[in-house]
Structure formats: C-alpha cells, structure tokens
Amino acid sequence: MTEPLQPALDRIRRLVLDPEGLVRAVASGRRRGLPPPEHVKVVLRPVRLKDGVRLQVSRDDGQRPHTANVSFDEAEATLGELLAQPYGNWLVETTTRTVTLRVTKRGEAQVHTSDVGHEQRLDHDRAAPHLMPPDDALFGALGAGAAKRRQVDAFLRAVDPLLKSYEDSVAIADLGCGNAYLTFALSRYAARLGLTASTVGVDVRADQRERNTALAMELGMDGTLRFEAASIEEANVSDADLVVALHACDTATDDALARGVAAGARHIVAAPCCHHDLAAQLKAGGVDGGRALLGDGILRERFADVLTDALRAQLLRLHGYRVDVIEFIDSAHTPRNTLIRATRTGGAASESDWAHYRDLTTQWNVKPRLGTLLGAA
Ligand SMILES: C[S@@+](CC[C@H](N)C(=O)[O-])C[C@H]1O[C@@H](n2cnc3c(N)ncnc32)[C@H](O)[C@@H]1O
C-alpha cells in the first residue's frame, strides 16, 4: 500500500523530533530518476552531552562520517533540509516502534510500522551497557567465558523489547538449553524487569538437567527455574509465553518453532544453528538450472541456510506471527548470528502468503521440517 509522500515524511519528522522516544533514524538510498542526495547516508540519534540532550547528525559522504550535534530546537531546520533531500529510504527506530519509509518509483511512500521498540542509549560514547553485567555471580557459577557472556547479552538485547511488553508475569521455555547460560540469564533478567518469571530449560541430555538443577539450587533460583531432560518434541511447554532456542542443532530449531506455534506462544525467538536438512535435500533434489548455485558444497550450504530461515520465517507468518529476521550479534563472534523473532498477531494468512511459501518449496524441491511439523508440506 502506498500513500502520498509528504504526510508520510511529516510523520517521520514528528518521530525524529521526539527526544524522549527517538533511538535512531537513518536516511539512505536515492530516488529513481532524481540526482543523488548530498550524502550517501545520514544517521540521527539523541545523545546526552554536558549541556543536555542533543540530536547527533552524522553525515556520511561515502568516505567517512561528519558528525555535528544540534539542540532539538535547531533540529527542526536541520531535519527539514534532510527530509527535502531525495533519499529513497528512511528508517526510524523509537522506544516503542520501528518505522520504515520507502519512496516508490512513482514518488509515493510505502510505510511499514512494527511495534518492535528499541532501547534508548544516550551515552555519547555508545558503549552499550550490558543487560546482564559480565561480572554477575551467575556467570561465574555457570562457568561462562567472555564470548558466551557476550552472546547471551546480545540475545537478551533482542528479546528485551518483547519482555518489556509483559505486565506481570511471563512463562519462558528455552529449548535445547545445553549449559543453560541463556536460561539462567533470561530468568534473572525478567525478574529484574519486575516480572514473575517461571522458566523451563529443556535439553535431551539428562546430565545437563542434573547440572543445571543443582546450579539453580545453588543460586537460589530453583523456585522459578526448572529443567527437563526431554526432547523438544516431548517437553511440557504448552503454557509458554516466550519460547527461545539458541543454537539448537539443525532441525531441533524447527522442533522449537513448532512447539512455540502449537503452544500459541506470544513470542518465539530462535537463533538457528547448522542447517543440514535442506542442504542434503538440495543436493539430492537435482533441481534443473540449480547446478551453478548448488553444485559447490559451500555455496549449497550457504544457500540452504538462507532458504531454511526464509521458509521458517514465512511458515511463522502463515501461522499468525509477525516476524523479523535480524543479526543479533556480529558475524566475527559467530557465523550463526541470524535471529528469527516472531510475535503472535493471530492474523490470518492470505492465499498469496501461502503461494510465496509454495513457490519456494516447489522451485527448490524441498520439504522443510517445520512445514511438515505444522502440516504445511
Ligand atoms: C549447540 S547446543 C546449544 C546450547 C545452548 N542453547 C547454548 O546456546 O549455549 C545445542 C543443545 O541442544 C540440545 N538438543 C539438540 N537437539 C535436541 C532435541 N531434539 N531435543 C532437546 N535438546 C536437543 C543438545 O543436547 C545441546 O545441548
């Protein structure tokens, strides 16, 4: 759906000029048929300086960013100039929503708004404070190394806006929890947000259940945190509001997503691990014309990763979830840095949504495990 450009830009203006709500705004790209804007990209965000909160305007000329800080009174004129430039895209992240505006070929606005909010960080140096301090006794007891602490913190950051949408209580299920760094951290963090959290960590390995249960007792968390030794398919998670899975192996991620859907979970968040299932199907499938893409093992695996996650995201949409797929941590930390984040809306899927899914499975001659589990194959 498109709409006239000017009123849509006015809405962007109002969001950016709200120092309490703005987290970040980015203008980028160019409009078809028009000369390029003065800068390749402009990033705006509020920062706290000695003399108060300012709007930081960072203009990137393709070589390096040039940064200036203006008061929110002056910001109106600065923003007016930027909005008048022929940028093709605007992204605005606020504490309560994410808005994207794309200017179409016809010069109209295509606006998408989601209620995914972001944390506002006004520190000038942008050193992101950890949601769970790395020196928290929890990590010491769990024996987590620095890399794992960072990964858990990044995952928490992605879940944070979702957790903040709960008012009193939240039932969390961490499927394929392993050593349960994330399970403990989520439970602790939800409690810090003032929520009554009941959390279950599920792993097929009985030794993990024993270790994690003992640690929960040691940390005085056994009243709200329990562990089950079970396969994800069999675990008792039907009352979960928030289902998470961090690097559950291969199709265990599909099992976790399917359990979340079956439970009608309000939120499902998964960072997938390896994707052998579709890679093997692509190898065996012999799709005509696919040889250049699938003939080489590395490319086939990478393509299988993308295809698997695209189909997962689409299946969740078909089952009444709004989905975004993000990188939750930089790829230097782990190449398994994709995160599928889904919020239940209960919206019905259209025929064309199903057609998008079937087009992909037919074209590549694959049967994704999640499709089978959800009866879509
Ligand atoms: C790579 S580890 C990740 C552990 C943890 N989530 C983390 O990120 O630290 C994957 C875990 O999933 C468990 N797992 C794999 N398939 C499973 C299944 N079908 N049901 C239950 N647990 C499973 C494994 O035993 C293992 O502990």
Side-chain angles (χ1 to χ4, degrees):
M1 278 269 284
T2 57
E3 59 179 288
L5 183 56
Q6 197 49 52
L9 288 175
D10 286 342
R11 291 208 302 279
I12 296 286
R13 178 199 311 274
R14 284 195 290 278
L15 290 173
V16 175
L17 290 177
D18 171 11
E20 314 247 294
L22 177 68
V23 174
R24 189 176 75 117
V26 182
S28 63
R30 52 191 290 186
R31 289 184 207 161
R32 186 177 279 229
L34 292 179
E38 207 177 322
H39 293 92
V40 177
K41 183 165 92 167
V42 179
V43 181
L44 305 139
R45 70 180 187 95
V47 287
R48 184 180 292 113
L49 303 180
K50 265 192 240 129
D51 43 357
V53 176
R54 296 279 182 269
L55 183 69
Q56 184 178 82
V57 184
S58 184
R59 297 176 170 89
D60 192 335
D61 58 12
Q63 306 288 324
R64 64 188 182 89
H66 304 264
T67 298
N69 299 313
V70 295
S71 72
F72 268 82
D73 289 342
E74 297 162 305
E76 181 135 19
T78 307
L79 184 59
E81 284 164 27
L82 292 173
L83 287 166
Q85 293 210 22
Y87 285 106
N89 304 292
W90 276 88
L91 161 76
V92 184
E93 294 171 346
T94 77
T95 50
T96 56
R97 67 188 115 154
T98 303
V99 179
T100 58
L101 183 159
R102 187 178 72 81
V103 182
T104 66
K105 278 189 247 170
R106 294 165 176 240
E108 291 179 318
Q110 192 168 51
V111 180
H112 179 257
T113 302
S114 77
D115 60 9
V116 176
H118 302 264
E119 190 191 354
Q120 196 185 48
R121 297 197 295 265
L122 298 177
D123 312 336
H124 192 47
D125 61 8
R126 271 193 88 59
H130 289 89
L131 295 186
M132 284 290 296
D135 56 356
D136 191 298
L138 188 72
F139 290 122
L142 293 171
K148 196 71 200 177
R149 293 172 200 214
R150 237 187 100 212
Q151 192 184 91
V152 165
D153 210 72
F155 197 101
L156 277 188
R157 212 168 278 291
V159 174
D160 183 44
L162 312 184
L163 272 179
K164 285 180 175 156
S165 72
Y166 291 85
E167 285 182 2
D168 310 306
S169 62
V170 58
I172 302 170
D174 181 3
L175 305 183
C177 67
N179 275 342
Y181 307 111
L182 177 66
T183 333
F184 278 92
L186 265 174
S187 177
R188 183 89 128 205
Y189 184 65
R192 285 201 181 149
L193 291 179
L195 296 168
T196 307
S198 60
T199 306
V200 60
V202 173
D203 202 285
V204 75
R205 285 177 48 185
D207 60 327
Q208 296 287 33
R209 190 191 71 83
E210 276 164 36
R211 168 195 179 272
N212 295 333
T213 303
L215 278 166
M217 289 175 77
E218 194 180 301
L219 291 160
M221 294 173 74
D222 51 318
T224 54
L225 182 54
R226 69 185 176 85
F227 290 92
E228 248 183 71
S231 76
I232 292 170
E233 276 180 298
E234 293 163 347
N236 176 16
V237 294
S238 48
D239 62 350
D241 301 306
L242 168 63
V243 169
V244 302
L246 173 57
H247 298 158
C249 319
D250 198 6
T251 52
T253 295
D254 299 295
D255 298 347
L257 297 175
R259 292 306 310 273
V261 172
R266 188 155 133 194
H267 296 111
I268 307 173
V269 184
C273 196
C274 42
H275 297 74
H276 300 310
D277 185 32
L278 281 206
Q281 291 186 36
L282 287 169
K283 190 172 181 188
V287 174
D288 278 350
R291 203 160 301 156
L293 184 61
L294 306 179
D296 183 273
I298 296 284
L299 295 180
R300 186 171 56 246
E301 275 174 29
R302 289 189 185 169
F303 178 66
D305 286 359
V306 173
L307 184 60
T308 306
D309 289 334
L311 289 167
R312 284 172 172 157
Q314 187 66 2
L315 280 162
L316 290 172
R317 291 185 188 107
L318 292 170
H319 286 81
Y321 285 82
R322 188 183 56 242
V323 183
D324 58 341
V325 181
I326 59 169
E327 287 192 342
F328 75 104
I329 194 163
D330 58 277
S331 57
H333 177 88
T334 166
R336 299 293 176 204
N337 66 344
T338 305
L339 186 111
I340 299 172
R341 188 166 54 174
T343 300
R344 182 165 47 81
T345 62
S350 66
E351 257 320 300
S352 72
D353 293 330
W354 277 103
H356 290 319
Y357 171 74
R358 293 204 179 100
D359 283 353
L360 273 181
T361 53
T362 308
Q363 183 182 353
W364 295 105
N365 191 23
V366 290
K367 218 181 218 192
R369 161 105 171 167
L370 184 59
T372 306
L373 291 170
L374 295 177

